[in-house]
Amino acid sequence: MAGRRKMTLDEMATFMGGLVRRCTNRKGDIADTVLTLNVEEAAMLSDCAEAMTVLDAYGAAAHVHREIEKKRQASARRKDAKGPAQIAGETAIGEKE
């Protein structure tokens, strides 16, 4: 593995996301799964784990958790903003204005 190129954090995230997608069932829910990784995938997963350990040692975990929470809240706001379709002149519960 000496000649393997180092992955960027974005590439690591993409790789790990791919592993998660391999663990989803037809409904899109994460399910118990047995994955078989080839040697390259196992080495990539090892690199990801090492990178996360280093980031945690430098205190990045708190920042990462804050950013994840911000994205979760923004996603929830977008879902709330869509809400049910309304007809002009009616309130959200269907009463005439």
Side-chain angles (χ1 to χ4, degrees), residues 15-31:
F15 168 70
M16 289 188 290
L19 293 179
V20 171
R21 279 188 294 285
R22 288 165 58 179
C23 297
T24 56
N25 60 22
R26 293 185 190 275
K27 294 190 312 186
D29 299 327
I30 295 175

Side-chain angles (χ1 to χ4, degrees), residues 39-81:
V39 173
E40 183 182 2
E41 289 173 324
M44 291 167 65
L45 189 57
S46 176
D47 287 349
C48 293
E50 185 177 338
M52 285 188 270
T53 301
V54 171
L55 289 171
D56 186 52
Y58 282 96
H63 176 72
V64 169
H65 291 297
R66 280 192 303 272
E67 290 301 313
I68 290 171
E69 182 61 20
K70 282 183 190 176
K71 286 186 178 187
R72 187 195 64 74
Q73 289 174 354
S75 177
R77 280 194 302 273
R78 280 192 302 276
K79 286 179 184 176
D80 289 344

